[in-house]
Short mmCIF file of all heavy atoms in Angstrom, two decimals:
data_model
loop_
_atom_site.label_atom_id
_atom_site.label_comp_id
_atom_site.label_asym_id
_atom_site.label_seq_id
_atom_site.Cartn_x
_atom_site.Cartn_y
_atom_site.Cartn_z
N VAL A 97 20.42 6.50 -19.73
CA VAL A 97 20.03 7.18 -20.92
C VAL A 97 21.06 7.31 -21.95
O VAL A 97 22.24 7.03 -21.75
CB VAL A 97 19.35 8.53 -20.75
CG1 VAL A 97 18.05 8.40 -19.83
CG2 VAL A 97 20.36 9.47 -20.12
N LYS A 98 20.68 7.45 -23.17
CA LYS A 98 21.56 7.58 -24.40
C LYS A 98 22.84 8.47 -24.16
O LYS A 98 22.60 9.57 -23.45
CB LYS A 98 20.82 8.08 -25.51
CG LYS A 98 21.58 8.09 -26.90
CD LYS A 98 20.65 8.52 -28.04
CE LYS A 98 21.40 8.53 -29.35
NZ LYS A 98 20.64 9.02 -30.44
N GLY A 99 23.97 8.05 -24.59
CA GLY A 99 25.20 8.76 -24.41
C GLY A 99 25.86 8.68 -23.07
O GLY A 99 26.86 9.28 -22.76
N ASP A 100 25.25 8.00 -22.10
CA ASP A 100 25.73 7.81 -20.79
C ASP A 100 26.08 6.40 -20.40
O ASP A 100 25.23 5.50 -20.66
CB ASP A 100 24.66 8.37 -19.83
CG ASP A 100 25.24 8.90 -18.54
OD1 ASP A 100 26.19 8.24 -17.94
OD2 ASP A 100 24.79 9.98 -18.07
N LEU A 101 27.19 6.14 -19.94
CA LEU A 101 27.67 4.81 -19.65
C LEU A 101 27.75 4.44 -18.14
O LEU A 101 28.19 3.49 -17.66
CB LEU A 101 29.03 4.60 -20.27
CG LEU A 101 29.14 4.78 -21.75
CD1 LEU A 101 30.44 4.64 -22.23
CD2 LEU A 101 28.16 3.89 -22.56
N HIS A 102 27.23 5.41 -17.25
CA HIS A 102 27.33 5.10 -15.83
C HIS A 102 26.20 4.25 -15.41
O HIS A 102 25.09 4.44 -15.81
CB HIS A 102 27.19 6.54 -15.08
CG HIS A 102 28.32 7.41 -15.27
ND1 HIS A 102 28.49 8.19 -16.38
CD2 HIS A 102 29.57 7.63 -14.61
CE1 HIS A 102 29.59 8.89 -16.48
NE2 HIS A 102 30.33 8.62 -15.29
N ASP A 103 26.50 3.18 -14.61
CA ASP A 103 25.41 2.34 -14.21
C ASP A 103 25.48 1.84 -12.81
O ASP A 103 24.54 1.07 -12.46
CB ASP A 103 25.32 1.14 -15.19
CG ASP A 103 26.46 0.09 -14.88
OD1 ASP A 103 27.42 0.47 -14.33
OD2 ASP A 103 26.29 -1.04 -15.34
N ILE A 104 26.29 2.46 -11.97
CA ILE A 104 26.44 1.93 -10.58
C ILE A 104 25.04 2.38 -9.83
O ILE A 104 24.44 1.51 -9.18
CB ILE A 104 27.66 2.49 -9.83
CG1 ILE A 104 28.90 1.91 -10.54
CG2 ILE A 104 27.62 2.19 -8.32
CD1 ILE A 104 30.06 2.58 -10.16
N GLY A 105 24.73 3.69 -9.87
CA GLY A 105 23.45 4.10 -9.17
C GLY A 105 22.20 3.17 -9.61
O GLY A 105 21.52 2.88 -8.87
N LYS A 106 22.21 3.10 -11.01
CA LYS A 106 21.02 2.43 -11.56
C LYS A 106 20.99 0.87 -10.94
O LYS A 106 19.96 0.38 -10.70
CB LYS A 106 21.17 2.36 -13.10
CG LYS A 106 20.15 1.43 -13.69
CD LYS A 106 20.31 1.52 -15.29
CE LYS A 106 21.58 0.86 -15.76
NZ LYS A 106 21.65 -0.57 -15.50
N LYS A 107 22.21 0.28 -10.95
CA LYS A 107 22.32 -1.05 -10.50
C LYS A 107 21.90 -1.14 -9.03
O LYS A 107 21.15 -2.14 -8.66
CB LYS A 107 23.77 -1.58 -10.62
CG LYS A 107 24.05 -2.20 -11.92
CD LYS A 107 25.43 -2.80 -11.85
CE LYS A 107 25.77 -3.40 -13.25
NZ LYS A 107 27.24 -3.81 -13.38
N LEU A 108 22.26 -0.24 -8.27
CA LEU A 108 21.93 -0.30 -6.83
C LEU A 108 20.33 -0.18 -6.59
O LEU A 108 19.84 -0.84 -5.83
CB LEU A 108 22.64 0.92 -6.09
CG LEU A 108 24.11 0.83 -5.95
CD1 LEU A 108 24.63 1.98 -5.12
CD2 LEU A 108 24.48 -0.52 -5.18
N VAL A 109 19.80 0.90 -7.44
CA VAL A 109 18.32 1.02 -7.32
C VAL A 109 17.62 -0.29 -7.73
O VAL A 109 16.72 -0.65 -7.10
CB VAL A 109 17.96 2.21 -8.26
CG1 VAL A 109 16.31 2.35 -8.22
CG2 VAL A 109 18.42 3.50 -7.71
N ALA A 110 18.16 -0.77 -9.01
CA ALA A 110 17.48 -2.03 -9.47
C ALA A 110 17.57 -3.19 -8.39
O ALA A 110 16.62 -3.89 -8.22
CB ALA A 110 18.03 -2.44 -10.85
N MET A 111 18.65 -3.24 -7.76
CA MET A 111 18.91 -4.31 -6.81
C MET A 111 17.97 -4.20 -5.56
O MET A 111 17.43 -5.16 -5.17
CB MET A 111 20.34 -4.31 -6.41
CG MET A 111 20.87 -5.46 -5.53
SD MET A 111 22.47 -5.29 -5.01
CE MET A 111 23.41 -4.91 -6.47
N MET A 112 17.92 -3.01 -5.12
CA MET A 112 17.08 -2.76 -3.96
C MET A 112 15.62 -3.04 -4.26
O MET A 112 14.78 -3.49 -3.49
CB MET A 112 17.32 -1.34 -3.41
CG MET A 112 18.60 -1.13 -2.72
SD MET A 112 18.72 0.08 -1.63
CE MET A 112 20.33 0.01 -0.90
N MET A 113 15.20 -2.55 -5.45
CA MET A 113 13.84 -2.70 -5.83
C MET A 113 13.50 -4.21 -6.04
O MET A 113 12.42 -4.62 -5.77
CB MET A 113 13.60 -1.79 -7.08
CG MET A 113 13.29 -0.34 -6.68
SD MET A 113 12.70 0.66 -8.05
CE MET A 113 11.27 -0.14 -8.60
N GLU A 114 14.47 -4.92 -6.53
CA GLU A 114 14.21 -6.38 -6.73
C GLU A 114 14.01 -7.05 -5.37
O GLU A 114 13.08 -7.82 -5.18
CB GLU A 114 15.39 -7.04 -7.48
CG GLU A 114 15.08 -8.41 -7.86
CD GLU A 114 16.16 -9.03 -8.76
OE1 GLU A 114 17.37 -8.55 -8.72
OE2 GLU A 114 15.91 -10.04 -9.33
N GLY A 115 14.89 -6.54 -4.42
CA GLY A 115 14.69 -7.07 -3.06
C GLY A 115 13.45 -6.68 -2.43
O GLY A 115 12.89 -7.44 -1.64
N ALA A 116 12.86 -5.53 -2.80
CA ALA A 116 11.55 -5.08 -2.21
C ALA A 116 10.45 -5.70 -2.90
O ALA A 116 9.25 -5.30 -2.54
CB ALA A 116 11.50 -3.60 -2.38
N GLY A 117 10.66 -6.57 -3.82
CA GLY A 117 9.56 -7.29 -4.54
C GLY A 117 9.12 -6.88 -5.95
O GLY A 117 8.04 -7.31 -6.46
N TYR A 118 9.93 -6.03 -6.65
CA TYR A 118 9.71 -5.68 -8.02
C TYR A 118 10.38 -6.62 -9.01
O TYR A 118 11.52 -7.14 -8.80
CB TYR A 118 10.12 -4.22 -8.17
CG TYR A 118 9.27 -3.33 -7.54
CD1 TYR A 118 9.51 -2.78 -6.25
CD2 TYR A 118 8.23 -2.77 -8.12
CE1 TYR A 118 8.75 -1.93 -5.55
CE2 TYR A 118 7.20 -1.97 -7.51
CZ TYR A 118 7.54 -1.50 -6.25
OH TYR A 118 6.74 -0.59 -5.72
N GLU A 119 9.73 -6.82 -10.11
CA GLU A 119 10.39 -7.55 -11.18
C GLU A 119 11.23 -6.49 -12.06
O GLU A 119 10.57 -5.47 -12.46
CB GLU A 119 9.34 -8.21 -12.10
CG GLU A 119 9.91 -9.07 -13.19
CD GLU A 119 8.75 -9.67 -14.04
OE1 GLU A 119 7.64 -9.83 -13.67
OE2 GLU A 119 9.14 -10.05 -15.16
N ILE A 120 12.43 -6.81 -12.23
CA ILE A 120 13.30 -5.71 -12.88
C ILE A 120 13.77 -6.21 -14.30
O ILE A 120 14.16 -7.40 -14.52
CB ILE A 120 14.60 -5.55 -12.04
CG1 ILE A 120 14.18 -5.19 -10.61
CG2 ILE A 120 15.57 -4.52 -12.76
CD1 ILE A 120 13.52 -3.81 -10.48
N VAL A 121 13.58 -5.24 -15.24
CA VAL A 121 14.05 -5.46 -16.65
C VAL A 121 15.10 -4.38 -16.83
O VAL A 121 14.83 -3.09 -16.91
CB VAL A 121 12.96 -5.20 -17.67
CG1 VAL A 121 13.55 -5.50 -19.07
CG2 VAL A 121 11.81 -6.27 -17.40
N ASP A 122 16.41 -4.73 -16.82
CA ASP A 122 17.53 -3.76 -16.90
C ASP A 122 18.05 -3.74 -18.36
O ASP A 122 18.60 -4.71 -18.86
CB ASP A 122 18.63 -4.18 -15.96
CG ASP A 122 19.70 -3.00 -15.78
OD1 ASP A 122 19.71 -2.15 -16.60
OD2 ASP A 122 20.42 -3.03 -14.69
N LEU A 123 17.90 -2.69 -18.96
CA LEU A 123 18.28 -2.55 -20.35
C LEU A 123 19.69 -2.10 -20.55
O LEU A 123 20.28 -2.07 -21.55
CB LEU A 123 17.35 -1.51 -21.15
CG LEU A 123 15.84 -1.84 -21.15
CD1 LEU A 123 15.12 -0.67 -21.86
CD2 LEU A 123 15.53 -3.07 -21.69
N GLY A 124 20.38 -1.84 -19.46
CA GLY A 124 21.84 -1.46 -19.46
C GLY A 124 22.07 0.01 -19.70
O GLY A 124 21.18 0.91 -19.14
#
Side-chain angles (χ1 to χ4, degrees):
V97 295
K98 189 175 174 182
D100 207 315
L101 302 175
H102 295 83
D103 73 341
I104 292 162
K106 172 180 66 68
K107 272 185 180 169
L108 291 181
V109 172
M111 193 186 305
M112 288 204 178
M113 282 187 58
E114 188 173 20
Y118 288 90
E119 185 184 339
I120 302 300
V121 179
D122 191 342
L123 302 179

